[in-house]
Amino acid sequence: MNNKPAINGQYLVLMAAFFYGLNPFFAQLLFKEGFGAEMVSLYRFILPALFFAFFLHTPQANWPEAFRTLLLGVASGVSIFGYFHALETLPAATAILIYYTYPVFSVLIGWIFFSRVPSQNALISAALVAIAASLTVRPETLPAGALLSVGACFLAPLVVATQVQYLSNPKRYIHTTNRMAWITIGHIIVLLPLAIWIAPAQVLPVSLTGLLSVLGIALVAAAIPQVLFMLGAPRSCADKNALAGSLELVVALLTGAVLLGESIDRLEVTAMVLIVLALFIKQVENKPRVGAITG
């Protein structure tokens, strides 16, 4: 009976990974509509933030946890801007592959900072993801002067990995909608001033495609998977949650190829096969900490 919540949690995380994998697709549609990385980043979070603002009220006992969640949101806001900036300036496959190295960082961060010693299978799975990324992130494909964009893009997997580790076993339970409210406000604290400072030429969508892409990146690729992940992550283990996220890479590359006509070479196909293999390697359940879910 104790295994059922973990299995259900893993399915929710897998569903979240699928929807998260649509982010590059919607982002590239918005770039084609004339939006910059700052507006794409802002649109990804501002609609969910407006909705979840109704759930900001937090009992005083939960204020420390709300503040920790807010900090996660602030860090995520910075990193997602770096990722979308990389999508705008680097070859799309390169930026996507850098972002989806986060399962590797998650295993390492969990081991070093959260004292979660990974199982042998988790290390093997992470190694497969690392090999997959190395096959497609090739220095010769990078444009001149792209070092800053590459560095900013690597910030995203580091932050996502930290989120995966923390949210898989938070210090204190708070309701999912309350946690969503604080994390989305953290995004807006960063992204709204950034957009105002950059003063983009285009702020509103001017076509039906642009409007649907804004709704897609805000709801389908952000709000829905965030809720699924926050419901599923505490019911599964950190290793499973991190490696299930590798599915995002497959979705991101396939949607780019099928829907946007981007080419996928043999190395990228090999990378996807390795990631699917990593997903099928059985992970050992982490022992949950008492009080992590029902604090």
Side-chain angles (χ1 to χ4, degrees), residues 57-81:
H57 176 71
T58 306
Q60 187 172 353
N62 291 339
W63 284 0
E65 184 63 25
F67 181 69
R68 286 188 287 268
T69 304
L70 179 70
L71 291 180
L72 285 177
V74 169
S76 180
V78 174
S79 69
I80 204 67
F81 172 73

Side-chain angles (χ1 to χ4, degrees), residues 8-27:
N8 289 342
Q10 189 178 9
Y11 289 158
L12 290 172
V13 172
L14 279 171
M15 290 170 61
F18 174 84
F19 287 116
Y20 276 138
L22 297 174
N23 269 296
F25 168 68
F26 287 120

Side-chain angles (χ1 to χ4, degrees), residues 96-175:
I96 290 169
L97 263 295
I98 290 173
Y99 181 87
Y100 292 114
T101 56
Y102 76 77
V104 181
F105 288 111
S106 181
V107 170
L108 294 176
I109 288 172
W111 193 356
I112 296 169
F113 295 103
F114 291 87
S115 301
R116 294 171 183 163
V117 179
S119 65
Q120 184 178 18
N121 285 355
L123 289 173
I124 293 172
S125 297
L128 287 175
V129 174
I131 293 170
S134 69
L135 289 176
T136 53
V137 180
R138 301 185 290 275
E140 64 271 15
T141 65
L142 299 178
L147 188 59
L148 182 61
S149 294
V150 171
C153 196
F154 265 110
L155 180 63
L158 284 169
V159 172
V160 171
T162 304
Q163 281 190 331
V164 167
Q165 285 295 326
Y166 182 77
L167 295 175
S168 294
N169 198 357
K171 286 191 174 182
R172 185 176 181 85
Y173 169 83
I174 59 176
H175 198 275

Side-chain angles (χ1 to χ4, degrees), residues 17-22 246-256 272:
F18 174 84
F19 287 116
Y20 276 138
L22 297 174
S246 303
L247 177 64
E248 294 179 42
L249 171 60
V250 178
V251 174
L253 291 179
L254 286 180
T255 52
M272 286 191 289

Side-chain angles (χ1 to χ4, degrees), residues 132-280:
S134 69
L135 289 176
T136 53
V137 180
R138 301 185 290 275
E140 64 271 15
T141 65
L142 299 178
L147 188 59
L148 182 61
S149 294
V150 171
C153 196
F154 265 110
L155 180 63
L158 284 169
V159 172
V160 171
T162 304
Q163 281 190 331
V164 167
Q165 285 295 326
Y166 182 77
L167 295 175
S168 294
N169 198 357
K171 286 191 174 182
R172 185 176 181 85
Y173 169 83
I174 59 176
H175 198 275
T176 300
T177 52
N178 188 226
R179 194 180 294 278
M180 280 288 297
W182 285 107
I183 204 165
T184 53
I185 289 299
H187 293 128
I188 300 305
I189 287 175
V190 172
L191 296 173
L192 184 57
L194 181 65
I196 294 172
W197 178 66
I198 292 176
Q202 184 174 342
V203 175
L204 297 175
V206 294
S207 70
L208 180 60
T209 299
L211 177 60
L212 293 177
S213 298
V214 166
L215 293 175
I217 202 167
L219 302 178
V220 179
I224 292 174
Q226 188 76 22
V227 171
L228 289 171
F229 182 82
M230 287 192 174
L231 289 173
R235 294 171 172 81
S236 185
C237 73
D239 287 347
K240 289 181 180 179
N241 294 338
L243 294 165
S246 303
L247 177 64
E248 294 179 42
L249 171 60
V250 178
V251 174
L253 291 179
L254 286 180
T255 52
V258 175
L259 300 178
L260 296 177
E262 297 174 356
S263 60
I264 298 182
D265 62 26
R266 59 184 179 81
L267 290 178
E268 288 163 353
V269 172
T270 303
M272 286 191 289
V273 171
L274 289 174
I275 285 170
V276 171
L277 288 175
L279 288 171
F280 278 95

